[in-house]
Amino acid sequence: MSLATQLNDRIKQYGPITVADYMRTALLHPEFGYYTRKDPLGIQGDFITAPEISQIFGELIGLWLAEQWRILGKPESIIVEPGPGRGTLMADIIRATQHVQGFHDAISIHFIEGSPVLREKQKQALKGHHPRVQWHTDFKKLPAKPLLLAANEFFDALPVRQFMYAADGWCERMVNVDAEGKLHFILVREIPPVDFPAVSDVIFEYGEDGAHITRTISTHIRTHGGAGVIVDYGFDGGSRGDTLQAVKNHKFHDTLHDPGTADLSCHVDFERMKRNAEAQKVAAYGPVTQGAFLNALGAKARAAILCKNAPHKKASVISGLERLLSPDTMGHLFKVLCIVPMKHPKPEGF
Ligand code: SAH
């Protein structure tokens, strides 16, 4: 049985499902989900992410977190990474901060990961790097300590619902199945759970899980202290319409074709994320572009050191960095937002 067949049966029996339900099932179905079954990252996989492109990304984020920890007064803290993929970002964070006095002794590492395959990869990547590493499936049981959070390409994987103001009022875009068993989108009368401007025929996306997680992180930072940095591709307010996309083998794929075999993601609305954070009485800065953020943190100087230490790697160091920084590749599309307590000084890079 495939996931397509299962979804067909379910929709035939119970009716159309929301785009969020569709995403959630396609990505994390316990048996056939995309992330449940495979490691999607890298050249052999379907897509590649910043930490997999260049170690500089994780190193600078590591130093940024250690600096926030210093400003917080060097408390015993938890480092939390949701959606850690292969564990590369955390391995780079740990390596880059090994000489920050007291840091490694003060922290424990907490991964939030839904995929058993990727958990295994993360275990391998972190082996011997740090004595205290734990895995969670969600944010519910994090220890009540200051939170240092790094998230890269996690929020784009969270399910969104889609709404549209059509001629006869608000509708939700849902996934239905036709007589031949083919999945397709339909509009169903439904009032959105948040206020969207009633602009005809524009799709608005609402990510309930993303909003909930932003609130959880923010409340934790307000209550116990901490600092979070969130990197993802996305936009700063307004609507981008339908941003649901499927990627397979580094190419775009039909979003409804063969669910569970392609990555599904959406652009992150950073303005909404910022408002959700601020509503919890924390300070949120950004979004700034990934290019501006990494430049401000000294990406070029770091690259120069890497090239000096390993001249044979110069070409790949330079091309990796270029890919992270250039407006034509990831430099502009990817954005960075940070969340800190109200009285915390504005962090570097924002
Ligand atoms: N941060 C990594 C991987 C990005 S891929 C990198 O930059 O390379 C998205 C990651 O989020 C994967 O690890 C995936 O398994 C995880 N993930 C997606 N949805 C999730 C959810 N709802 N709960 C927990 N983890 C999730």
Side-chain angles (χ1 to χ4, degrees):
M1 201 186 222
S2 71
L3 192 55
T5 328
Q6 286 213 347
L7 277 167
N8 278 354
D9 291 350
R10 179 171 151 201
I11 295 170
K12 274 185 193 140
Q13 195 168 358
Y14 299 108
I17 58 171
T18 65
V19 171
D21 268 344
Y22 176 75
M23 281 183 82
R24 201 176 281 120
T25 310
L27 292 178
L28 287 169
H29 182 280
E31 198 180 341
F32 299 113
Y34 177 72
Y35 283 119
T36 322
R37 288 188 317 149
K38 67 179 264 194
D39 170 8
L41 291 152
I43 313 272
Q44 305 295 321
D46 293 315
F47 60 94
I48 190 157
T49 56
E52 302 294 333
I53 291 171
S54 169
Q55 68 187 80
I56 294 174
F57 182 81
E59 290 171 348
L60 295 178
I61 290 200
L63 295 172
W64 187 93
L65 289 172
E67 174 61 6
Q68 305 317 309
W69 169 77
R70 189 189 63 76
I71 295 169
L72 290 162
K74 305 191 176 180
E76 206 179 288
S77 308
I78 49 173
I79 295 203
V80 175
E81 188 188 358
R86 290 178 168 178
T88 310
L89 171 60
M90 189 59 80
D92 290 340
I93 290 175
I94 296 300
R95 197 187 53 256
T97 53
Q98 60 189 335
H99 300 303
V100 178
Q101 222 189 353
F103 187 60
H104 282 199
D105 290 337
I107 56 165
S108 56
I109 296 172
H110 299 260
F111 285 132
I112 294 168
E113 176 56 71
S115 154
V117 178
L118 289 173
R119 265 187 193 211
E120 212 34 62
K121 294 254 165 172
Q122 292 149 20
K123 277 196 185 128
Q124 296 306 323
L126 267 284
K127 219 177 207 163
H129 281 46
H130 197 275
R132 292 177 296 280
V133 188
Q134 273 183 46
W135 278 263
H136 307 252
T137 44
D138 53 46
F139 286 79
K140 285 189 195 120
K141 290 206 182 112
L142 291 178
K145 292 180 184 171
L147 162 69
L148 301 168
L149 176 124
N152 184 58
E153 291 214 44
F154 168 69
F155 281 87
D156 67 51
L158 299 177
V160 305
R161 290 171 68 181
Q162 294 186 329
F163 295 91
M164 198 170 102
Y165 189 75
D168 55 350
W170 280 106
C171 297
E172 178 157 14
R173 193 168 181 240
M174 298 183 91
V175 178
N176 201 9
V177 63
D178 66 16
E180 279 84 55
K182 209 165 169 287
L183 295 173
H184 63 274
F185 291 107
I186 54 159
L187 290 173
V188 175
R189 287 296 294 270
E190 184 68 73
I191 307 283
V194 290
D195 269 338
F196 289 122
V199 187
S200 294
D201 301 327
V202 175
I203 288 176
F204 289 94
E205 295 181 332
Y206 177 62
E208 230 147 17
D209 293 10
H212 181 73
I213 291 172
T214 305
R215 282 193 289 269
T216 305
I217 293 167
S218 304
T219 312
H220 191 115
I221 290 177
R222 185 192 67 227
T223 317
H224 306 292
V229 61
I230 292 155
V231 187
D232 224 307
Y233 71 97
F235 56 102
D236 188 9
S239 167
R240 286 296 144 94
D242 166 28
T243 76
L244 178 67
Q245 66 181 39
V247 171
K248 192 171 180 171
N249 278 325
H250 302 269
K251 288 193 195 80
F252 288 113
H253 183 78
D254 180 340
T255 49
L256 295 184
H257 184 67
D258 227 350
T261 68
D263 182 45
L264 285 177
S265 65
C266 286
H267 285 237
V268 173
D269 180 348
F270 277 99
E271 194 211 299
R272 187 170 287 279
M273 186 187 281
K274 189 173 186 170
R275 268 190 278 136
N276 285 334
E278 286 168 345
Q280 305 306 313
K281 307 246 175 322
V282 288
Y285 296 99
V288 296
T289 64
Q290 173 173 293
F293 177 71
L294 296 177
N295 262 324
L297 262 44
K300 289 193 178 123
R302 179 67 196 138
I305 293 171
L306 288 178
C307 292
K308 196 165 155 236
N309 292 348
H312 61 288
K313 289 197 183 143
K314 191 170 172 180
S316 76
V317 169
I318 301 290
S319 71
L321 183 68
E322 184 60 22
R323 206 162 151 193
L324 297 186
L325 297 182
S326 167
D328 301 329
T329 44
M330 301 172 86
H332 265 186
L333 177 61
F334 280 74
K335 313 270 188 304
V336 191
L337 183 89
C338 77
I339 302 174
V340 290
M342 278 291 191
K343 288 194 185 118
H344 197 84
K346 182 167 158 178
E348 218 182 323
F350 292 91

